[in-house]
Amino acid sequence: MLSLDSAKIAVIGLGYVGLPLAVEFGKKYQTIGFDIDTGRVAELQKGHDHTLEVDAGELAEADQLRYTAELEALKPSNVFIVTVPTPIDKHRQPDLEPLRKASESLGKVIKRGDIVIYESTVYPGATEEDCIPIIEQHSGLKYNEDFYAGYSPERINPGDKKHRLTSIKKVTSGSTPEIAEFVDALYRSIVTAGTHKAESIKVAEAAKVIENTQRDLNIALINELAVIFNRLDIDTEAVLQAAGTKWNFLPFRPGLVGGHCIGVDPYYLTHKSQAIGYNPEVILAGRRINDNMGSYAVSQLVKEMLKRRIHVCGANILVMGLTFKEDCPDIRNTKVVDIITELGDYGACVDIYDPWVENAEAEREYGLALTTSPQPNHYDAVILAVAHNQFRQLGPAGVRALAKNRHVIYDLKHILPSGEADIRL
């Protein structure tokens, strides 16, 4: 049985989740950060993180952390933590390929007595039903005899400088009582907010996947209310502010639901639910509402443009913001793309401006080219799609200065004061 003193940690995947974890462990334990992206490894070796989750000073503090893209370098490790992405495919089905490939790689380096801990979001049962058999197959070792497993779901909130890895309580679990205690102690040694030891790996998996499912449903309710209130010609934000004076009213707001978690995780749960013969009606209804908000936003904009006798086909439209949330460079599963695509279907000429996003990243992920400097007095419509602080600082006059005399300003995120936008969600 491993002890904390003998732990040698390898973190597999150095994205938004893996890097902050590797850095914290690298302050206390011998740690290797592994990623198949050699460019990412080279960047980190130079002390830079393009995701902006960890600054140069924090990287330097992790004096026991080194980075590699070589699988062989992981062999001395005895605790392997998997933090690879778990996306969905074009059919909105779980895509476990990154997880399977990581498990296959681990099967080539794992030894007797080692522990594998998964942090990637999955449906209940995925760790032991999908991942562990792959490790067994490629290692020749037997689960819970030769090697062990744990699950401790990530709770990273990209761009959030207040709620950090160490200040968010960590759920932990293990494949045996002894391993569960070790995994809990390991995370407790770096997470100042403490830990919650779940009774099983499946419980920990389920706890993670419902966190974002609950949030998704709450936003879906507010989105549906926004559609209703818009038809009634009632300001949704004014309604929410009034309702929010009650102590137990939850402060959710309407909007596009994208990102690597909220717009993805519910599909993992519904997939597993359908596999066991139950159709999850409420969860899928919420997903349909949220997935359709991009189309709804465009329909609102088009109607307002037509009322003002602005031709949509050939119109110059500026979309301000591409990331899935404000003040963050993360464009994974951003639903702003839905708006851009639909405007293109109408024949509009769309410029995209986002000071947080590198043009190469937008091109690689979505085939989109960004504009670095929107032209003044040029646009028939301006959509405030993401509430970046830079856009807030422009104010109503700064935003309208980008538009022609006859135009539509659509404030999706309620960035501008009430009455300063032509449409609000």
Side-chain angles (χ1 to χ4, degrees), residues 2 12 34 103-104 112 123 126 213 222 277 285 295 298 345 384-385:
L2 282 176
I12 317 301
F34 173 84
S103 300
E104 183 178 330
R112 292 183 185 277
Y123 46 75
T213 299
I222 301 301
S295 295
V298 172
D345 291 342
L384 290 158

Side-chain angles (χ1 to χ4, degrees), residues 3 24 28 46-47 86 96 99 125 135 149 162 175 216 245 295 304 329 348 363 367 370 373 421:
S3 66
E24 289 304 323
K28 299 191 68 170
K46 294 176 182 176
T86 44
L96 293 181
L99 211 52
I135 295 177
K162 178 181 179 183
S175 56
D216 190 43
T245 59
S295 295
E304 188 63 27
E363 177 67 39
L370 306 184
S373 53

Side-chain angles (χ1 to χ4, degrees), residues 81-217:
I81 304 177
V82 180
T83 62
V84 298
T86 44
I88 53 175
D89 62 21
K90 63 181 180 180
H91 304 295
R92 295 181 175 133
Q93 293 297 306
D95 178 7
L96 293 181
E97 193 60 21
L99 211 52
R100 292 192 183 103
K101 286 191 175 298
S103 300
E104 183 178 330
S105 296
L106 287 178
K108 299 174 183 177
V109 297
I110 198 170
K111 310 176 299 300
R112 292 183 185 277
D114 289 352
I115 301 172
V116 179
I117 304 169
Y118 288 88
E119 287 214 0
S120 307
T121 302
V122 291
Y123 46 75
T127 297
E128 293 172 295
E129 296 166 12
D130 295 278
C131 301
I132 296 302
I134 295 174
I135 295 177
E136 287 184 315
Q137 177 188 348
H138 289 274
S139 68
L141 302 176
K142 191 168 179 60
Y143 178 48
N144 274 346
E145 290 184 13
D146 300 320
F147 75 97
Y148 305 89
Y151 183 79
S152 181
E154 59 89 4
R155 282 177 163 171
I156 293 293
N157 187 25
D160 189 336
K161 300 305 179 185
K162 178 181 179 183
H163 301 99
R164 309 293 288 166
L165 170 66
T166 58
S167 62
I168 303 171
K169 182 167 280 194
K170 202 82 165 68
V171 173
T172 67
S173 63
S175 56
T176 70
E178 295 77 18
I179 296 302
E181 182 54 42
F182 172 83
V183 172
D184 192 69
L186 181 68
Y187 281 100
R188 202 166 56 241
S189 71
I190 63 165
V191 178
T192 56
T195 58
H196 174 89
K197 186 168 64 174
E199 64 182 48
S200 70
I201 287 176
K202 282 187 177 181
V203 167
E205 290 169 327
K208 168 57 182 177
V209 81
I210 71 165
E211 287 176 11
N212 289 318
T213 299
Q214 181 187 66
R215 184 167 174 79
D216 190 43
L217 284 170

